[in-house]
Amino acid sequence: MAVEEIHAEMVSSVWKVLVTPGSPVAAGDTLVILESMKMEIPVLTEQAGTVAELHVVEGEVLQEGDLIATVQS
Amino acid sequence: MTTLSPAPTLPAPDPRDPEDRLARFFDPGSLRPLAARDTSGVLAARGTVEGSPAIAFCTDATVMGGAMGLDGCRHIVDAIDTALRERVPVVGIWHSGGARLAEGVTALHAVGEVFAAMVRASGRIPQISVVLGPAAGGAAYGPALTDLVIMGPAGRVFVTGPDVVRSVTGEDVNQETLGGPDTHGRRSGVVHVVTDTEPAALATARRAVDLLAAQGTFAGVADEPDEDLGALLPEQRQRAYDVKPLIGAVLDEPGLELHPRWAPNVVTVLGRLAGRTVGVIANNPLRLGGCLDSASAEKAARFVRMCDAFGVPLVVLVDVPGYLPGVGQEWDGVVRRGAKLLHAFAEAVVPRVTLVTRKSYGGAYIAMNSRSLGATAVFAWPGAEVAVMGAKAAVGILHRKKLAAVPQAERDALHAELAAEHERIAGGVDRAIEIGVVDEVVEPAQTRRRLIGALADARPGRGAHGNIPL
């Protein structure tokens, strides 16, 4: 049972949220799409499992390092 | 009638035995020790890797934990100088607690002579380190001075161990957190490649030796099939994507990625293109939007200088929105560290071809092997943008008053119209070709053919400089 914490790599806004807590995910699945530097940047999970926590909502502005979600495998 | 007696039980071989480790590194049966085995704590040998001659040394972790003294260091210096004389790669396999305390300053002096030998050989022969156990103190800087550092699961690299750290700073940390694979593969950038097993670490070192020592020549492009590499990018131009599948499609087969988890917004890969070793540098839009920042500029700069030192041609895949803005970046020295990339490209004499796949903006445009820095050729895919910034952002600044003067309802339409006009005159690839900073638009399906052609036609070169670990 490993928990992967997924953090924002840069200042950005949350454009789309594609999962909810409890969603099953495969490695490489997109959890949310951020908007920054005029680009849509998908945020992926590195491990397969279930979305345990989701800490962001669409439109929210994130700072570098903010926790976006955790994935439990 | 004879009965089979049970085989005599031999003592299990010590997995840390240096001769055994060297034998597992070289081609089977090719190992020839440079000097007889002794109690110095180091064994050095010559052998072959995929048929190419190479030299390797291994610290003897079965003697005093592999600690380095005068005699052992002399074996290492001899191995490096022999490799330099014979112009073959030298590989160091490390498992050592550092300098031998009992020898005092004599051991420190000897370790320093190892460092000096590594710097003598820097940029002239490939030097590769494989860290299989602790490499502490002096043994930490040995690998750090070489071109590539590969770490197995038990590898630990630190200057001062957990006990000293605890007594001085009060930080409670174990060896792995202080200097294990995750720390150096992801946080510090000390290690280029982390592997799951010791055999995989040795196999990776063999691969690196093969790529750098047996570079090969470009095969002709006549049989090169057309493959639409454009399909590997998303249709929406604003959407970020992982550049690694594109790199995989450009190369003959998957390459050896260096620093995959450190500064992942730039990807650096050694691989083969039409049979010849090349280095690929690519922005990765999936990470930090593909922005350059201080760490990625430094990572790319070191890679460019290593390839240049060993005559490895470069392929530069560009899709970059600019430098990452922020206080953190400026305080982190993005100006000083970004300057390294400008220096590395401008200095490089190997053939180096740039392909702009989607966009190349601002200062990052210059840094990514632009024509101004001496690119051999600059290609662009159709529709690529080369500009100071995106057209929409540019007209927002250039025509701020004009935009503010029209009613809100009409503003978006005017903005789009002005952006299209601006792109035509300042940002489109046609303009870039007109002023000579892009040579040609290349159809995605022709990418490999054109990259191979441009690199093969260029005059080969090899930079006359060392490879300081930037």
Side-chain angles (χ1 to χ4, degrees), chain A residues 9-10 15 33 37-42 44 46, chain B residues 238-240 261 286-289 291 324-325 359:
Chain A
E9 288 189 335
M10 61 197 300
W15 183 54
I33 302 176
M37 299 291 287
K38 313 233 180 294
M39 291 178 65
E40 299 157 10
I41 305 172
L44 318 181
E46 284 187 12
Chain B
Q238 307 304 112
R239 178 61 59 87
R261 291 174 68 84
L286 190 62
R287 308 303 296 270
L288 291 179
C291 286
L324 184 68
K359 64 182 176 306

Side-chain angles (χ1 to χ4, degrees), chain A residues 6 14-26 28-33 43-45 47 49-58 68-72:
Chain A
I6 295 156
V14 181
W15 183 54
K16 276 192 176 135
V17 175
L18 306 177
V19 294
T20 54
S23 301
V25 287
D29 276 2
T30 302
L31 306 182
V32 303
I33 302 176
V43 175
L44 318 181
T45 168
Q47 66 181 36
T50 308
V51 176
E53 301 162 28
L54 185 69
H55 293 275
V56 299
V57 294
E58 289 179 5
I68 294 174
T70 60
V71 172
Q72 181 115 32

Side-chain angles (χ1 to χ4, degrees), chain B residues 62-441:
Chain B
T62 66
V63 180
M64 295 168 65
M68 300 160 73
L70 179 65
D71 293 339
C73 288
R74 284 194 172 147
H75 284 314
I76 297 179
V77 170
D78 181 51
I80 295 167
D81 285 343
T82 303
L84 186 54
R85 232 174 13 249
E86 298 178 7
R87 288 287 185 270
V88 298
V90 60
V91 175
I93 302 174
W94 292 89
H95 186 150
S96 165
R100 286 186 175 179
L101 275 180
E103 289 189 23
V105 177
T106 304
L108 293 182
H109 180 73
V111 169
E113 286 182 334
V114 168
F115 299 161
M118 288 171 159
V119 175
R120 267 201 299 284
S122 180
R124 301 172 74 188
I125 52 169
Q127 299 185 78
I128 294 158
S129 300
V130 187
V131 183
L132 297 180
Y141 283 110
L145 281 167
T146 62
D147 303 305
L148 295 174
V149 185
I150 297 153
M151 185 180 264
R156 307 284 182 265
V157 171
F158 40 73
V159 176
T160 52
D163 293 343
V164 177
V165 169
R166 193 174 301 112
S167 71
V168 175
T169 70
E171 291 161 305
D172 193 16
V173 67
N174 61 24
Q175 285 199 359
E176 184 176 358
T177 306
L178 193 60
D182 188 60
T183 296
H184 288 309
R186 197 162 55 85
R187 289 180 190 279
S188 75
V190 167
V191 168
H192 292 80
V193 183
V194 166
T195 65
D196 290 337
T197 64
E198 181 171 322
L202 294 171
T204 302
R206 286 174 55 83
R207 177 124 197 254
V209 167
D210 183 52
L211 283 163
L212 292 172
Q215 295 187 18
T217 51
F218 289 112
V221 294
D223 299 331
E224 197 56 48
D226 284 355
E227 189 191 343
D228 183 14
L229 303 188
L232 296 169
L233 267 56
E235 281 178 25
Q236 312 98 301
R237 293 185 59 83
Q238 307 304 112
R239 178 61 59 87
Y241 59 93
D242 187 3
V243 78
K244 289 180 195 177
L246 175 61
I247 298 172
V250 165
L251 294 173
D252 299 345
E253 55 186 20
L256 174 61
E257 184 178 357
L258 308 180
H259 285 134
R261 291 174 68 84
W262 180 61
N265 39 326
V266 128
V267 182
T268 49
V269 178
L270 279 175
R272 291 192 188 272
L273 177 63
R276 199 216 186 285
T277 302
V278 296
V280 181
I281 299 136
N283 310 111
N284 195 357
L286 190 62
R287 308 303 296 270
L288 291 179
C291 286
L292 281 179
D293 63 353
S294 55
S296 61
E298 205 166 57
K299 165 177 163 179
R302 184 172 175 190
F303 182 75
V304 168
R305 295 191 81 250
M306 180 188 76
C307 289
D308 189 50
F310 300 127
V312 175
L314 296 169
V315 173
V316 185
L317 303 176
V318 183
D319 186 352
V320 66
Y323 268 95
L324 184 68
V327 175
Q329 280 297 306
E330 301 296 341
W331 288 12
D332 198 33
V334 66
V335 176
R336 175 176 55 83
R337 297 166 80 187
K340 296 177 186 184
L341 186 53
L342 297 171
H343 195 291
F345 271 128
E347 172 189 45
V349 298
V350 284
R352 44 190 166 104
V353 175
T354 301
L355 171 69
V356 183
T357 55
R358 221 162 54 164
K359 64 182 176 306
S360 188
Y361 293 158
Y365 150 77
I366 303 174
M368 291 301 291
N369 197 37
S370 60
R371 163 58 28 82
S372 48
L373 297 187
T376 305
V378 183
F379 297 136
W381 279 356
E385 280 183 73
V386 177
V388 175
M389 61 177 80
K392 252 190 122 171
V395 298
I397 296 169
L398 290 170
H399 299 290
R400 186 166 38 210
K401 284 183 185 163
K402 200 169 176 179
L403 286 164
V406 300
Q408 178 73 48
E410 296 164 31
R411 202 169 293 158
D412 284 353
L414 178 64
H415 200 149
E417 189 186 315
L418 289 168
E421 171 71 15
H422 179 84
E423 188 168 334
R424 201 160 47 244
I425 59 170
V429 74
D430 294 344
R431 177 69 182 144
I433 288 175
E434 206 176 293
I435 59 177
V437 298
V438 171
D439 294 309
E440 220 177 317
V441 170

